[in-house]
Amino acid sequence: MLQRIDGELMSVGVLDYTQEALSSVYLFYNPKFEFLNPGTLAALKEIEYIKKIFKEHDSNFKYYYLGLYF
């Protein structure tokens, strides 16, 4: 998952998907944006993404894990 601010890359999250879950495996970010707490921001955006998938596409997709690689 990519996050940009004014077109500049802020962070990149490495995600692992299963039929029911999304796992946030790793995050790296531009140190310029450290003051924005990119790890917290990425987790909130990923939770938002899971809710969207659950609501619009697949009601079985409902779990979120931090740092678990399947």
Side-chain angles (χ1 to χ4, degrees):
M1 187 167 249
L2 300 174
Q3 299 295 322
R4 295 183 184 273
I5 295 178
D6 294 331
E8 188 173 357
L9 187 61
M10 183 193 89
S11 66
V12 176
V14 178
L15 306 174
D16 187 24
Y17 291 85
T18 69
Q19 292 180 353
E20 296 180 332
L22 173 74
S23 178
S24 182
V25 179
Y26 194 78
L27 179 81
F28 54 96
Y29 60 89
N30 184 337
K32 174 181 174 181
F33 298 109
E34 186 172 10
F35 71 97
L36 294 173
N37 298 315
T40 302
L41 180 61
L44 292 172
K45 293 300 245 178
E46 290 163 0
I47 291 168
E48 187 178 82
Y49 179 61
I50 290 169
K51 286 182 175 183
K52 181 179 179 179
I53 292 173
F54 177 81
K55 190 174 189 177
E56 297 177 7
H57 302 289
D58 186 357
S59 61
N60 291 322
F61 194 81
K62 54 189 167 192
Y63 299 107
Y64 178 60
Y65 299 102
L66 291 170
L68 179 64
Y69 186 66
F70 296 104

